[in-house]
Amino acid sequence: MKERYLDDLKEIKTIMNRSSRPVSLSGYSGIATGITALVGVTAAHYYIFRYHDLKEVLPEDLPLHHMLLLLLIATGTLIIATAAAIFFTNRNNREERDRLWGVQARRLLTALLVPLVSGGLLCLILLFKGNISILPGLTLIFYGLGLISAGRFTQTEIRSLGFAEIVLGLLAVLIPAYSVVIWALGFGILHIIYGFMVQWNTKA
Amino acid sequence: MKEVLKNLDKAFENRIRLGIMSALVVNDHVDFNTLKALLGVTDGNLASHLKFLEKCNYINIKKEFLNRKPHTRYYSTKGGESAFRRHIHAIEKLLE
């Protein structure tokens, strides 16, 4: 009799865990994203930002070919980083044969994309009619918000990553002269550290 | 002891109903096919246990069509959740 109820409790626990199991993000995807971002920021610095005083860059200061190049670099980096994240995450979850990965992954994507897309559109508007110097900070802040809202559906470390991105984003807006460096720090270095932390934790 | 046994819920004596309820209390809703995959049971078996829980007013059902295919979502009710909690407390008491 007791045995049976003990099994019942075990069953309850397994079902609860399996039905709400977070999507498991791979640490490699963090590392890949970080490296892609570093390449992107370096390219942006080399081709565009080193010609401008970063304290205050207005859209009219930025020649059209620079603006288009910046958009191209940003979009390219975003696409490559997303592709890498999806590739590694997919592999991770196929290995675990998680039948529910679809449901949870969809929730994760919605949670991530709402702040990210609204922030992205705002940045696009500001690129054409605002102060470009605050863009690195804003992208970091909105990305951090996206991560925090997505954190419910995956490893909790991602929430800490989100908070760190927001802090860096605010810092970048505060000291625009260093915003590109902070940008590289947030999207590049932080992702790589996060990737190693996750990978190391899963192994342990 | 008698007091404890009274709190055990007949509706959750069955493994599949227990499993359904476990999945519903930790999720906002779960659809039929997900429940099926989760518990590894046949359509008919799952449907009859769902009907049982519905009769107890422990779960709610929302039917809709996705690409012209029926898509049924299941929600736990407030009453179902508190009954489930009582049941688990009773088991824990019993095992003390």
Side-chain angles (χ1 to χ4, degrees):
Chain A
M1 170 102 163
K2 277 200 173 182
E3 203 103 301
R4 215 204 97 182
Y5 285 117
L6 217 53
D7 281 347
D8 272 3
L9 284 186
K10 252 187 240 155
E11 171 84 1
I12 292 170
K13 246 187 217 157
T14 347
I15 297 279
M16 283 180 169
N17 283 335
R18 271 178 56 203
S19 69
S20 61
R21 178 165 47 190
V23 178
S24 132
L25 286 180
S26 149
Y28 293 126
S29 67
I31 298 171
T33 308
I35 292 171
T36 317
L38 280 182
V39 174
V41 175
T42 311
H45 171 75
Y46 189 78
Y47 288 113
I48 302 154
F49 288 122
R50 66 176 174 145
Y51 300 113
H52 300 282
D53 175 18
L54 283 174
K55 274 183 207 129
E56 193 179 16
V57 188
L58 297 171
E60 46 274 27
D61 303 335
L62 209 60
L64 187 67
H65 70 279
H66 273 181
M67 202 179 271
L68 292 179
L69 196 64
L70 183 62
L71 267 180
L72 195 73
I73 291 173
T75 327
T77 313
L78 192 67
I79 291 174
I80 294 173
T82 315
I86 290 176
F87 172 76
F88 285 116
T89 304
N90 223 354
R91 209 184 54 167
N92 224 22
N93 288 278
R94 199 174 306 149
E95 274 170 13
E96 289 179 15
R97 295 181 176 281
D98 191 348
R99 283 158 153 171
L100 297 163
W101 131 254
V103 183
Q104 286 295 101
R106 226 174 305 137
R107 289 179 187 160
L108 173 100
L109 276 182
T110 325
L112 177 69
L113 284 181
V114 171
L116 216 54
V117 170
S118 36
L121 290 176
L122 174 69
C123 290
L124 212 56
I125 295 169
L126 287 178
L127 178 64
F128 290 101
K129 51 192 299 188
N131 186 343
I132 294 175
S133 319
I134 64 169
L135 289 186
L138 279 187
T139 48
L140 281 169
I141 292 171
F142 280 106
Y143 180 59
L145 290 174
L147 289 184
I148 290 171
S149 96
R152 274 174 299 149
F153 305 108
T154 179
Q155 290 97 336
T156 38
E157 290 101 322
I158 214 168
R159 293 177 72 99
S160 327
L161 180 64
F163 282 114
E165 302 281 9
I166 290 177
V167 171
L168 281 182
L170 292 172
L171 215 61
V173 177
L174 205 63
I175 29 177
Y178 289 98
S179 57
V180 175
V181 180
I182 298 175
W183 211 16
L185 211 64
F187 283 116
I189 309 291
L190 270 191
H191 272 131
I192 295 173
I193 295 174
Y194 163 80
F196 274 113
M197 267 171 58
V198 167
Q199 209 54 30
W200 183 61
N201 270 348
T202 352
K203 289 267 161 65
Chain B
M1 190 69 183
K2 248 188 185 164
E3 206 51 37
V4 172
L5 286 177
K6 217 173 64 189
N7 278 334
L8 283 173
D9 198 319
K10 271 262 152 54
F12 304 129
E13 290 286 292
N14 176 285
R15 259 305 149 71
I16 294 163
R17 291 199 290 270
L18 194 72
I20 294 170
M21 211 57 201
S22 308
L24 292 186
V25 293
V26 289
N27 288 287
D28 175 59
H29 63 265
V30 183
D31 62 55
F32 190 87
N33 286 328
T34 309
L35 274 177
K36 205 173 88 175
L38 194 64
L39 301 166
V41 288
T42 61
D43 281 20
N45 200 356
L46 179 60
S48 73
H49 287 301
L50 284 167
K51 197 150 274 168
F52 189 109
L53 287 172
E54 193 194 359
K55 272 201 187 121
C56 301
N57 284 326
Y58 285 176
I59 62 172
N60 265 332
I61 295 175
K62 234 179 227 166
K63 281 189 186 172
E64 54 187 43
F65 285 86
L66 268 185
N67 302 327
R68 294 198 189 167
K69 280 183 195 141
H71 182 86
T72 319
R73 292 168 159 188
Y74 298 91
Y75 298 77
S76 56
T77 62
K78 281 239 166 68
E81 280 174 22
S82 58
F84 187 66
R85 208 165 298 134
R86 262 201 311 279
H87 183 75
I88 293 177
H89 278 311
I91 292 180
E92 280 168 344
K93 274 263 157 59
L94 210 68
L95 292 174
E96 263 171 17

